[in-house]
């Protein structure tokens, strides 16, 4: 529990400091947010973050931030130009809704992970 609170605190701190330190390509216009329900382990969340890092649009400067709260994993990724194209690459769950630059996903473990 203490570790989760620390991760949330650090995530919020990064969000507050990011505009001050700058990050080429990390503008709100190129950021997408994944709201993923149903993840249960840090290993699942780490695999999702590694999977989505391939979506970055060719910039050497990128930003990803993930945090879990109440069974929902939120992952912010930048730069990503095309939200719809990113949604079509999701293979770790079912896209339930897309609102502006936010993609909502119901997580499903890979078939080989289910026993």
């Amino acid at each position: 529990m203490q570790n989760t609170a620390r991760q949330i605190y650090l995530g919020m701190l990064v969000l507050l400091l990011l505009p001050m330190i700058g990050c080429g390509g990390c503008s709100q216009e190129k950021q997408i947010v994944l709201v993923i329900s149903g993840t249960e382990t840090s290993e699942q969340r780490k695999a999702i973050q590694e999977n989505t890092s391939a979506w970055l649009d060719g910039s050497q400067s990128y930003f990803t931030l993930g945090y879990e709260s109440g069974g929902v994993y939120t992952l912010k990724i930048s730069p990503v130009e095309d939200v719809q194209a990113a949604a079509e690459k999701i293979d770790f769950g079912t896209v339930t809704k897309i609102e502006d630059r936010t993609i909502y996903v119901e997580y499903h473990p890979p078939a080989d992970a289910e026993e």
Side-chain angles (χ1 to χ4, degrees):
M1 183 66 158
Q2 193 174 37
N3 192 28
T4 300
R6 184 176 306 150
Q7 288 175 335
I8 292 171
Y9 172 77
L10 289 175
M12 298 304 287
L13 183 62
V14 168
L15 287 176
L16 292 172
L17 293 176
L18 190 60
M20 290 182 258
I21 60 176
C23 176
C26 294
S27 68
Q28 292 288 331
E29 296 83 32
K30 293 185 179 184
Q31 176 178 279
I32 63 169
V33 179
L34 299 177
V35 179
I36 307 160
S37 58
T39 62
E40 297 176 358
T41 67
S42 60
E43 290 81 15
Q44 290 171 336
R45 293 183 285 275
K46 182 178 178 183
I48 290 169
Q49 190 164 2
E50 289 171 357
N51 178 295
T52 57
S53 67
W55 302 355
L56 300 171
D57 289 331
S59 174
Q60 290 184 1
S61 180
Y62 63 90
F63 174 72
T64 61
L65 171 67
Y67 55 93
E68 188 276 335
S69 178
V72 175
Y73 180 52
T74 302
L75 183 61
K76 296 183 178 193
I77 307 166
S78 181
V80 176
E81 295 285 341
D82 188 337
V83 178
Q84 187 62 43
E88 291 171 4
K89 293 177 185 177
I90 292 175
D91 62 358
F92 50 82
T94 302
V95 174
T96 59
K97 177 172 49 170
I98 300 173
E99 288 182 342
D100 193 30
R101 298 190 63 82
T102 301
I103 304 170
Y104 294 85
V105 180
E106 179 64 39
Y107 176 77
H108 302 292
D112 61 343
E114 294 178 356
E115 308 251 333

